[in-house]
Amino acid sequence: MKCRYREKRISSGMREEIFIYPEFAKAKKGKRASKYKATSETQQRLNNKNAVRKLARLINCNFGKKDFLVTAEYQRWNIPDTLEQVQKDIQDYIRRLRYHYRKNGSVLKYIIVFEAGELRGNYHVHIFLSGGLDRDKIESLWGRGCANCKRLQPDYFQGLDRVAGYVSKSPLGSKRWIPSKNLVKPKERVKTISRRKAEEFLDALQDKVTAHKVLDGAQLLGIDELDNEINGCLYAVVDILHTEEVKKCRKKE
């Protein structure tokens, strides 16, 4: 099947994902293109995978070594009966945190994920917090049980992807996570290319020397490439890492 391709690049912090996929022409009026309908289980797995990717991008854009991951839990005799009450408690906690951050001359950024334990179903909350306040102070402000504040340790190759996967195993609520309004969003660029250009780009990544050249000095983390047997088209996802040195050079340019 002859078609054009899209190259979508999503940058989040030092990580960048390159998606290559076909751009099909729109069907003529009155004609319907046949669609492949995924099973509900397959679709659910795909939705979960995409959700974790989206959360990881947001985390990598906004949090790093100087920031925290707080896990807030309740005392056994103080566990709320509803998720709504947990959400209200967290709103109060964020309000107290914001007050002390401002008092300390710092800006509060956060991402909240609500979860329930697999065994007992007890509510607990994961909160990514920007640095700017003492960890002991952050823990003491919770006041409804145990709060464990850990400094984030981004993996050199995967950033904070693993942490994103860990905190979003079984999120609760109508939204998988709740972000503050002042977060930096991932940058997205899209352009149209030919299949030949797509194949040349992917072939160049098979060799370390040519890969270093076509990626402008960035480090290749992985390639997931697929030839679709149904439509005969090419699909690929390329993960790369930009070092600080490469980032500085690009800014000068």
Side-chain angles (χ1 to χ4, degrees):
M1 183 180 288
K2 222 175 183 182
C3 64
R4 295 182 300 174
Y5 281 78
R6 285 287 185 95
E7 179 190 277
K8 180 192 287 186
R9 292 177 177 250
I10 303 178
S11 301
S12 46
M14 295 173 68
R15 294 288 303 281
E16 185 174 11
E17 299 160 281
I18 305 171
F19 296 87
I20 295 174
Y21 54 93
E23 180 187 38
F24 297 108
K26 291 182 179 179
K28 292 181 180 179
K29 201 172 183 180
K31 291 185 178 181
R32 280 191 174 184
S34 59
K35 290 184 178 180
Y36 165 73
K37 189 175 181 180
T39 63
S40 57
E41 187 180 338
T42 303
Q43 190 62 51
Q44 186 61 47
R45 285 201 302 268
L46 181 61
N47 291 344
N48 290 340
K49 184 177 180 180
N50 289 336
V52 172
R53 270 186 179 273
K54 192 174 180 180
L55 177 58
R57 291 173 194 143
L58 200 56
I59 294 170
N60 284 320
C61 272
N62 293 277
F63 303 98
K65 295 177 182 178
K66 296 180 180 180
D67 305 312
F68 309 113
L69 174 61
V70 178
T71 300
E73 300 177 335
Y74 287 88
Q75 296 284 4
R76 289 184 182 179
W77 59 84
N78 196 30
I79 300 173
D81 295 324
T82 64
L83 176 61
E84 288 73 21
Q85 183 57 51
V86 179
Q87 292 171 334
K88 185 178 182 300
D89 291 341
I90 290 299
Q91 286 175 2
D92 292 340
Y93 181 44
I94 292 296
R95 198 175 294 115
R96 292 193 294 274
L97 284 170
R98 186 178 286 114
Y99 169 79
H100 286 279
Y101 267 73
R102 284 176 179 171
K103 191 176 178 181
N104 205 38
S106 303
V107 177
L108 175 65
K109 296 167 71 175
Y110 61 82
I111 296 176
I112 304 167
V113 182
F114 296 95
E115 278 195 323
E118 294 181 0
L119 294 177
R120 298 178 181 175
N122 294 343
Y123 293 114
H124 59 274
V125 186
H126 300 292
I127 310 172
F128 291 89
L129 286 178
S130 53
L133 203 61
D134 181 72
R135 282 192 288 176
D136 290 338
K137 186 66 176 178
I138 290 172
E139 291 175 346
S140 68
L141 288 172
W142 170 231
R144 287 179 169 83
C146 176
N148 188 4
C149 180
K150 292 185 178 180
R151 192 174 295 280
L152 289 171
Q153 298 180 14
D155 182 271
Y156 181 76
F157 295 104
Q158 293 186 317
L160 292 165
D161 290 24
R162 289 182 182 178
V163 184
Y166 168 72
V167 303
S168 57
K169 299 187 298 296
S170 52
L172 300 175
S174 57
K175 296 182 179 179
R176 288 175 175 265
W177 62 83
I178 299 175
S180 59
K181 294 180 180 180
N182 58 347
L183 296 184
V184 175
K185 293 182 180 180
K187 294 180 181 178
E188 189 173 310
R189 294 169 291 156
V190 182
K191 68 178 181 180
T192 301
I193 59 174
S194 65
R195 173 155 186 152
R196 181 175 63 84
K197 286 287 184 183
E199 289 176 339
E200 287 176 354
F201 173 70
L202 294 171
D203 287 343
L205 299 182
Q206 305 304 318
D207 179 77
K208 286 185 178 180
V209 177
T210 54
H212 189 268
K213 185 176 180 180
V214 297
L215 295 177
D216 295 327
Q219 185 171 353
L220 177 65
L221 301 180
I223 309 173
D224 189 5
E225 190 176 340
L226 170 70
D227 274 308
N228 191 306
E229 294 180 1
I230 297 174
N231 59 24
C233 292
L234 175 67
Y235 296 78
V237 180
V238 181
D239 285 310
I240 63 177
L241 175 76
H242 294 283
T243 63
E244 290 289 356
E245 288 73 18
V246 173
K247 288 271 187 181
K248 288 175 183 176
C249 288
R250 284 188 168 184
K251 284 181 181 178
K252 290 178 181 178
E253 291 172 1

